[in-house]
């Protein structure tokens, strides 16, 4: 059969050769069923999976760095003689080994877990070579848990001749065994004819190597390889792999979208109810709200499902846009659902929406985990009969037993807090409550339109990659009358001054938040810290009404406190980050964030967004513990300089990378093997263009690229 000329240029490996990659790992010597099982637990089942199990980083053991010139945060190999060994016990046992070298400087190696035999090895005068990342310690730089080797004979002292790859750890398989297995798999790497899937002219245009060459370079860097580029992740071999990986993710999202759009959705044409809501609102829509609502209007008129993401900065007024969209569904005699990630936020939506919609005669139902027993049965009945026209709630909306009469629009707020699965689960509640089943099998199913909203603005490049399955709109304008928030960073030692500041603000009738954060600790410990702060502030501010909310409190108590704060019955609210999203109290004009240096930009921005909602001048104080790391200093500086969520998102991407920005729950995107959206953003236009071309001309190649890279993660594509 003749193929179009352009497609013919895409390499087309023969089926026999392609099968080498699919050889099961048990074909490798030393890979018995036990080992294979451990590999399979990580999705590694065939040779190709090991080829693509790429090094996470490299260790440069080709040189020894003088201790005097060490930089904090930069991994190095050092060598020295042991000068002193000290065992101590403060909160937990520690072992400190001081080594010195010819540069006349000392470095501390610190161990928290060690065996007696290890301690015995460290005798003053012995020579030790180690590898690790120095960090500032109590007395100068130290390396915690370096990998090390004692050098007793001179012959031991040869240096490596190339970079050592470091692979992501796999439970139950030692680093050396994993390296050996990957080496064996690479020995069977076939020729490019059997491997290459990208068009040659594209690779050559970008000066990128073939897949085979790229894989060999990253797994086994040659002696003369560009070490600096490999360490930075910018080597052409790494770019080549990143291009294909980005392409694979892009294609998988695009296919997901195509599968969605093969469905039908109800065309919603009546705007009467939405117009009535708009006329009844106490404010006029901003230009941006208007524009985004018109985009939604156009989508919903069509008989195919809308898949739209609305990005809007904190406080840009997404809720009202969602309410207007919901009125298109309700106005057509159908139902809409709005799901929010926390009960606090969902309940606030409920209050706002009831306030707006009940005067129009729209029945708004409430469904959350705490709605149980008879009340729950009643809500479920109203949802199933269609009597409930708009249903607001939490994850509880997605549970089994929640059956809609005729769901036409599913709205997910703060979608970055949900995974892809959860978003799709709400969609599956559509059309008479039936399970739409296999999307590919039953193309004629009727599904609801989907509107997802996020208050964590995502840079354009990232949105293109992360949401290739969605159309993206931005509400990039704040309602009028907001005053900018003055932000300052203050060392925690100056905490006492703040107490005065709170007193003054509250004396003027304003309200304040005090946010306690402890990262990486349990809810319980955070709650304790908040309690302690609450007790302290209550004592220090006797004239003020101080409230407390944290995640360990009962929902009803949390709610009552929030409501009291909203009504102005509490002056100072001590809270954990439960207040992060959505909470809207316009009279609050002072926000204090403890341990601000430990929070990411997106989270700081969200928290700060709780103030500056009214007309009073607002302040945000970022309390930090000295000394600040360079990264933390940059973050706090960014917060001081700008209040634009889109600028902050760009900076966050630059400082922390996309995984953090999107949240770990965002399937797929955060788990790139080699691509880095900040570093490789310039490849995205190529990715998009090539993606279009492959889907049109060579869907089989597209399929192979997706299964090669996304493989096991693909199950959600047809979820
Ligand atoms: P977010 O986009 O962060 O979810 P909200 O929808 O909670 O923001 O809106 C924040 C506040 O702004 C709410 O009190 C809302 O009523 C108000 N608001 C929304 N749109 C406008 C507007 N066009 N003019 C004035 N106030 C508005
Ligand atoms: Mg919101």
């Amino acid at each position: 059969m003749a193929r179009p000329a352009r497609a013919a240029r895409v390499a087309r490996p023969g089926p026999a050769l392609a099968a080498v990659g699919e050889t099961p790992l048990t074909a490798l010597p030393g890979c018995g069923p036990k080992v294979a099982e451990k590999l399979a637990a990580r999705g590694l089942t065939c040779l190709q999976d090991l080829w693509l199990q790429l090094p996470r980083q490299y260790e440069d053991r080709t040189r020894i760095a003088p201790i005097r010139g060490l930089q904090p945060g930069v991994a190095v190999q050092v060598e020295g003689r042991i000068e002193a060994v000290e065992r101590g016990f403060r909160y937990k046992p520690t072992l400190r080994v001081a080594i010195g070298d010819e540069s006349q400087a000392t470095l501390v190696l610190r161990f928290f877990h060690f065996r007696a035999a290890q301690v015995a090895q460290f005798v003053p005068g012995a020579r030790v070579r180690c590898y690790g990342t120095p960090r500032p310690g109590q007395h100068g730089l130290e390396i915690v848990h370096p990998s090390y080797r004692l050098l007793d004979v001179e012959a031991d002292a040869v240096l490596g001749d190339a970079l050592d790859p470091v692979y992501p750890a796999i439970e139950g398989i030692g680093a050396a065994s994993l390296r050996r297995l990957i080496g064996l798999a690479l020995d069977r790497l076939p020729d490019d004819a059997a491997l290459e899937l990208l068009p040659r002219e594209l690779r050559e245009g970008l000066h990128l190597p073939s897949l085979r060459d790229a894989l060999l370079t990253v797994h086994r860097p040659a002696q003369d390889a560009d070490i600096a580029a490999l360490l930075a992740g910018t080597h052409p071999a790494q770019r080549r792999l990143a291009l294909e990986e980005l392409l694979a993710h892009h294609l998988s999202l695009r296919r997901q979208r195509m599968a969605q759009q093969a469905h039908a959705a109800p065309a919603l044409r009546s705007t009467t109810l939405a117009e009535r809501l708009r006329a009844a609102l106490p404010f006029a829509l901003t230009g941006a709200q208007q524009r985004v609502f018109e985009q939604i209007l156009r989508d919903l008129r069509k008989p195919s499902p809308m898949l739209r993401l609305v990005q809007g900065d904190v406080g840009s007024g997404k809720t009202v846009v969602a309410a207007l969209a919901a009125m298109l569904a309700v106005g057509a005699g159908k139902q809409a659902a709005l799901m929010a990630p926390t009960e606090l936020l969902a309940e606030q939506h409920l209050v706002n929406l009831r306030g707006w919609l009940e005067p129009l005669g729209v029945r708004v139902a409430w469904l959350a985990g705490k709605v149980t027993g008879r009340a729950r049965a009643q809500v479920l009945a109203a949802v199933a009969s269609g009597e409930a026209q708009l249903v607001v709630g939490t994850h509880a909306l997605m549970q089994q037993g929640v059956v809609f009469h005729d769901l036409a629009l599913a709205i997910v707020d703060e979608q970055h807090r949900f995974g892809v699965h959860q978003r799709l689960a709400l969609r599956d509640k559509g059309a008479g409550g039936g399970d739409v089943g296999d999307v590919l099998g039953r193309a004629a199913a009727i599904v609801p339109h989907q509107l997802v909203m996020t208050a964590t603005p995502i840079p354009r490049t990232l949105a293109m990659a992360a949401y290739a399955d969605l159309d993206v709109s931005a509400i990039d304008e704040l309602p009028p009358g907001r005053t900018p928030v003055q932000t300052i960073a203050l060392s925690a030692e100056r905490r006492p001054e703040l107490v005065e500041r709170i007193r003054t603000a509250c004396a003027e009738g304003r309200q304040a938040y005090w946010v306690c954060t402890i990262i990486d600790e349990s809810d319980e410990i955070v709650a304790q810290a908040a309690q302690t702060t609450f007790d302290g502030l209550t004592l220090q501010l006797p004239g003020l009404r101080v409230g407390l909310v944290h995640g360990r409190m009962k929902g009803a108590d949390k709610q009552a406190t929030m409501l009291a704060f909203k009504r102005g019955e509490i002056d100072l609210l001590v809270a954990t980050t439960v207040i992060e999203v959505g909470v809207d109290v316009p009279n609050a004009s002072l926000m204090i964030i403890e341990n601000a240096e430990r929070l990411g930009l997106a989270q700081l921005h969200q928290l700060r967004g709780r103030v500056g909602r009214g007309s009073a001048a607002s302040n945000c104080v970022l309390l930090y513990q000295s000394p600040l790391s360079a990264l933390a200093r940059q973050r706090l500086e960014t917060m001081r300089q700008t209040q634009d969520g889109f600028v902050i998102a760009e900076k966050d991407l630059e400082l922390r990378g996309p995984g953090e920005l999107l949240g770990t729950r965002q399937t797929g995107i955060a788990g790139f093997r080699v691509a880095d959206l900040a570093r490789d953003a310039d490849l995205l236009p190529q990715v998009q263009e090539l993606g279009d071309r492959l889907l049109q001309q060579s869907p089989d190649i597209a399929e192979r690229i997706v299964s090669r890279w996304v493989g096991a993660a693909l199950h959600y594509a047809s979820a």
Side-chain angles (χ1 to χ4, degrees), residues 87-303:
R87 269 181 89 162
F89 193 97
R90 284 235 292 175
Y91 304 104
K92 41 190 171 184
T94 55
L95 174 66
R96 296 169 8 111
V97 178
I99 62 168
D101 68 359
E102 282 83 56
S103 72
Q104 306 297 324
T106 301
L107 173 72
V108 172
L109 314 179
R110 185 190 286 274
F111 299 85
F112 295 109
H113 316 280
F114 48 89
R115 284 163 313 193
Q118 255 176 308
V119 183
Q121 288 182 311
F122 292 123
V123 280
R127 230 149 55 84
V128 60
R129 182 181 291 173
C130 66
Y131 188 93
T133 306
R135 309 199 181 285
Q138 282 163 320
H139 315 282
L141 290 180
E142 60 182 38
I143 300 184
V144 176
H145 282 266
S147 62
Y148 70 93
R149 190 156 61 112
L150 282 134
L151 308 172
D152 24 40
V153 275
E154 290 301 317
D156 249 350
V158 279
L159 286 171
D161 56 14
L163 291 183
D164 288 340
V166 180
Y167 292 101
I170 291 184
E171 203 178 314
I173 301 185
S177 314
L178 181 63
R179 260 154 93 145
R180 194 185 62 85
L181 287 172
I182 292 175
L184 289 171
L186 286 173
D187 291 341
R188 302 178 183 211
L189 197 62
D191 288 346
D192 277 320
L195 272 183
E196 188 59 71
L197 294 173
L198 297 188
R200 158 175 291 209
E201 81 279 4
L202 173 88
R203 270 196 294 114
E204 289 177 351
L206 294 168
H207 305 287
L208 297 176
S210 70
L211 182 58
R212 183 185 153 86
D213 290 347
L215 286 174
L216 290 174
T217 304
V218 301
H219 282 291
R220 297 172 170 165
Q223 235 166 302
D224 59 353
D226 183 344
I227 288 182
L230 277 169
L231 289 172
T234 56
H235 192 283
Q238 289 161 316
R239 300 259 300 163
R240 160 68 175 84
L241 296 170
L243 175 67
E244 193 171 316
E245 181 172 38
L246 290 169
L247 179 63
H249 280 266
H250 179 81
L251 287 169
S252 109
L253 287 169
R254 289 278 300 273
R255 289 195 332 180
Q256 194 169 318
R257 182 186 168 90
M258 281 158 60
Q260 287 276 302
Q261 291 201 309
H263 294 307
L268 307 173
R269 298 209 171 86
S270 167
T271 55
T272 321
L273 195 54
E275 282 308 329
R276 280 179 57 207
L277 169 58
R278 193 212 301 246
L281 288 172
F283 46 74
L285 294 185
T286 63
Q289 284 171 321
Q290 179 68 33
R291 177 171 44 78
V292 172
F293 178 54
E294 275 161 19
Q295 286 166 345
I296 294 171
L297 260 175
R298 276 198 295 277
D299 289 348
L300 294 182
R301 284 177 166 277
K302 295 185 199 150

Side-chain angles (χ1 to χ4, degrees), residues 645-668:
F646 288 87
V647 173
I648 288 175
E650 292 282 357
K651 194 72 189 174
D652 212 14
L653 179 59
E654 183 190 316
L655 295 180
R656 292 200 303 171
E660 301 272 354
L661 195 54
L662 287 170
T664 44
R665 271 170 277 188
Q666 195 72 44
T667 322

Side-chain angles (χ1 to χ4, degrees), residues 318-319 345 349 413-414 582:
K318 292 179 290 293
T319 317
L345 188 52
H349 280 324
D413 192 18
E414 308 295 345

